[in-house]
C-alpha cells in the first residue's frame, strides 16, 4: 500500500507538480513509506471505517487485507486523482514487483535517497511533463535499468 501511494503521488507530481496526499515519504529498506500512514490507519480503524484481516497461507500470516466498512465524509478525490491512482494500481496488478519497469524515474528518486531520509518530490529530482525535455538518456545493462538522467531545456 505504501508503494502504491508513493507511485500515485509521483505520477500525479510528474503531471501537475503537486502530490495527491501531500505526505512526507521516508526511504525504508523495502519501500518508500508515508510517515503518517500508521497514524491514518489507526484513526480509520478506531472510527470504524476499516477493518484489518490477516492473510493466512500455509506458512502463516502473509500480511493483511484492509477492507473499507463505511465511507468517510470529507474524503474527496478529483477525477484526475482517481484516474492516476487507478493507473498505478493497474500497472502493479497483483503485486508491486518491478518498479523501475513502470516508473524508472520515481524508483530512482527512492533509490538515490539515503536510508531513513525523506524522499524529495521536486522538479529537479523528478521528471515532470510541465518542463520540456532536451535530452533523456538511459543506460541499459543486461536488460536492467540503472540510471535515468533528465535535462531540462533552458526555457
Amino acid at each position: 500500500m505504501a508503494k502504491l501511494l508513493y507511485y500515485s503521488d509521483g505520477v500525479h507530481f510528474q503531471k501537475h507538480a503537486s502530490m495527491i496526499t501531500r505526505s512526507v515519504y521516508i526511504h525504508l529498506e523495502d519501500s518508500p513509506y508515508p510517515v503518517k500512514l500508521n497514524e491514518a490507519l489507526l484513526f480509520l480503524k478506531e472510527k470504524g471505517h476499516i477493518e484489518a484481516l490477516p492473510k493466512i497461507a500455509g506458512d502463516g500470516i502473509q500480511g493483511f487485507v484492509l477492507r473499507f466498512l463505511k465511507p468517510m465524509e470529507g474524503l474527496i478525490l478529483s477525477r484526475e486523482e482517481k484516474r492516476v491512482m487507478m493507473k498505478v494500481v493497474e500497472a502493479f496488478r497483483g503485486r508491486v514487483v518491478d518498479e523501475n519497469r513502470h516508473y524508472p524515474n520515481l524508483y530512482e528518486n527512492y533509490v538515490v535517497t539515503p536510508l531513513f531520509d525523506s524522499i524529495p518530490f521536486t522538479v529537479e529530482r523528478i521528471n515532470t511533463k510541465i518542463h520540456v525535455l532536451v535530452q533523456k538518456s538511459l543506460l541499459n545493462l543486461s536488460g536492467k535499468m540503472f540510471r535515468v538522467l533528465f535535462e531540462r531545456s533552458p526555457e
Side-chain angles (χ1 to χ4, degrees), residues 80-106:
E80 174 65 6
E81 291 168 338
K82 288 178 190 174
R83 187 193 69 73
V84 165
M85 293 181 105
M86 293 308 295
K87 177 182 174 185
V88 170
V89 168
E90 184 64 30
F92 298 116
R93 180 169 284 218
R95 293 181 64 191
V96 179
V97 177
D98 189 7
E99 297 99 323
N100 71 8
R101 182 173 150 229
H102 295 287
Y103 303 111
N105 53 337
L106 297 174

Side-chain angles (χ1 to χ4, degrees), residues 8 14 17 22-23 27 35 38 41-42 44-45 68 71 73 80 82 90 98 104 112 121 139:
S8 294
Q14 286 178 305
R22 295 179 295 281
S23 186
H27 180 155
V35 172
N38 292 343
L41 292 173
L42 180 62
L44 292 171
K45 190 161 178 10
F68 279 87
E73 288 194 30
E80 174 65 6
K82 288 178 190 174
E90 184 64 30
D98 189 7
V112 300
F121 277 78
L139 172 64

